[in-house]
Amino acid sequence: MIEWARWMVLGLSVVASVATPAINEIRPNKPNKPGRFLSLPVPQKCSQRPKEFFYRGHNYFYSGHLPQYRNTKLDWLDARNICREYCMDLVSMETQEENNMIFRLIQQNDVPYIWTSGRLCDFKGCENRRDLEPKSLFGWFWSATRVKMAPTNQIPQGWGYNAWSQSGHKKVPQPDNAEFDINRTNESCLSVLNNVYNDGIAWHDVACYHEKPFVCEDSEELLNYVASTNAGIQL
């Protein structure tokens, strides 16, 4: 993975609606949620953040295992902001081992789908970037860490498989931006779906307004910020 400079993550705006991941259940008209921004961490929440499981120095939690979020499904930005208030962010599966851990969580708990921090660079600041073209192959990154993903049609370095699904609504490899053909909405966020298209547990590009449970992962950036601005805080 390569550190990707010049990402303009603050100010990402997405729209939201109640919807399931199946393309045939998409609403053609979606209510708008303009002017939303990334949330700042809340020191008290950071010090008391859920620590459900641990991997290589990071704590994680699955929203469906917490009483306050057990029946909660959120769009991508709202889910990300819940995580950020705890000094966490949506999960970024940057290694095969970490990805396998999340896939096991989904399989063992029969989770239908989750949000990750995966994002397509199709917003302001991504224009005229030849290194991102075509975006369906080269435009994906982990928003939590600002790390560029491997080309979507290749097995990432150090991995033994490509986590992107080989099927979907169009019955072609992901990402396929299928919803754009239905309601002109780009599928700009990365969700892990559990056999929705009879394709096993795999990555899919999904429109960011869909509402899903989520997995949060410690954010070193936010933890360091809160530690440096709150003397003596226990994190």
Side-chain angles (χ1 to χ4, degrees):
M1 298 292 183
I2 303 171
E3 188 68 21
W4 212 356
R6 296 168 56 193
W7 285 112
M8 298 180 64
V9 179
L10 285 172
L12 287 179
S13 295
V14 295
V15 293
S17 171
V18 177
T20 65
I23 286 289
N24 61 1
E25 296 177 348
I26 287 171
R27 291 184 176 182
N29 298 310
K30 307 176 296 300
N32 193 23
K33 285 188 178 180
R36 295 188 296 155
F37 299 93
L38 290 176
S39 293
L40 294 174
V42 179
Q44 183 177 2
K45 284 188 174 183
C46 294
S47 66
Q48 300 174 359
R49 69 190 183 282
K51 300 177 181 179
E52 182 183 355
F53 53 100
F54 185 83
Y55 171 75
R56 291 195 174 182
H58 284 189
N59 294 287
Y60 299 73
F61 73 83
Y62 164 55
S63 62
H65 286 167
L66 299 184
Q68 63 268 43
Y69 303 122
R70 183 165 294 139
N71 299 314
T72 299
K73 295 179 182 179
L74 299 172
D75 69 34
W76 184 82
L77 185 57
D78 281 348
R80 191 176 180 200
N81 280 338
I82 289 291
C83 296
R84 287 177 58 87
E85 290 180 359
Y86 288 104
C87 283
M88 305 174 94
D89 211 322
L90 287 173
V91 65
S92 303
M93 292 92 77
E94 297 179 37
T95 68
Q96 179 174 308
E97 187 176 7
E98 185 177 17
N99 191 69
N100 290 344
M101 177 181 69
I102 299 302
F103 277 22
R104 283 194 300 271
L105 169 75
I106 291 171
Q107 181 182 42
Q108 292 171 1
N109 295 275
D110 196 26
V111 178
Y113 37 70
I114 63 162
W115 279 129
T116 76
S117 81
R119 186 65 162 84
L120 182 66
C121 191
D122 61 351
F123 44 87
K124 186 177 180 181
C126 301
E127 311 94 333
N128 304 316
R129 290 281 302 274
R130 292 185 178 180
D131 58 311
L132 305 184
E133 298 299 336
K135 285 189 170 62
S136 62
L137 294 181
F138 302 108
W140 286 89
F141 72 109
W142 297 112
S143 61
T145 57
R146 296 182 291 280
V147 170
K148 186 178 182 180
M149 295 183 194
T152 58
N153 63 346
Q154 297 179 17
I155 296 175
Q157 184 176 359
W159 292 51
Y161 62 90
N162 188 338
W164 288 97
S165 176
Q166 294 304 298
S167 187
H169 176 67
K170 294 183 175 181
K171 302 189 185 304
V172 298
Q174 299 294 294
D176 63 0
N177 202 29
E179 190 168 337
F180 186 81
D181 296 337
I182 299 171
N183 61 15
R184 315 305 287 179
T185 300
N186 286 323
E187 296 187 332
S188 301
C189 292
L190 195 161
S191 176
V192 180
L193 305 187
N194 186 354
N195 206 36
V196 170
Y197 296 99
N198 296 314
D199 57 344
I201 300 172
W203 296 3
H204 284 257
D205 59 328
V206 175
C208 304
Y209 73 85
H210 287 276
E211 296 181 332
K212 304 182 186 300
F214 49 93
V215 173
C216 296
E217 174 185 358
D218 275 352
S219 166
E220 294 179 14
E221 180 180 28
L222 297 180
L223 286 167
N224 289 338
Y225 168 75
V226 168
S228 67
T229 55
N230 294 269
I233 192 169
Q234 297 295 314
L235 297 172

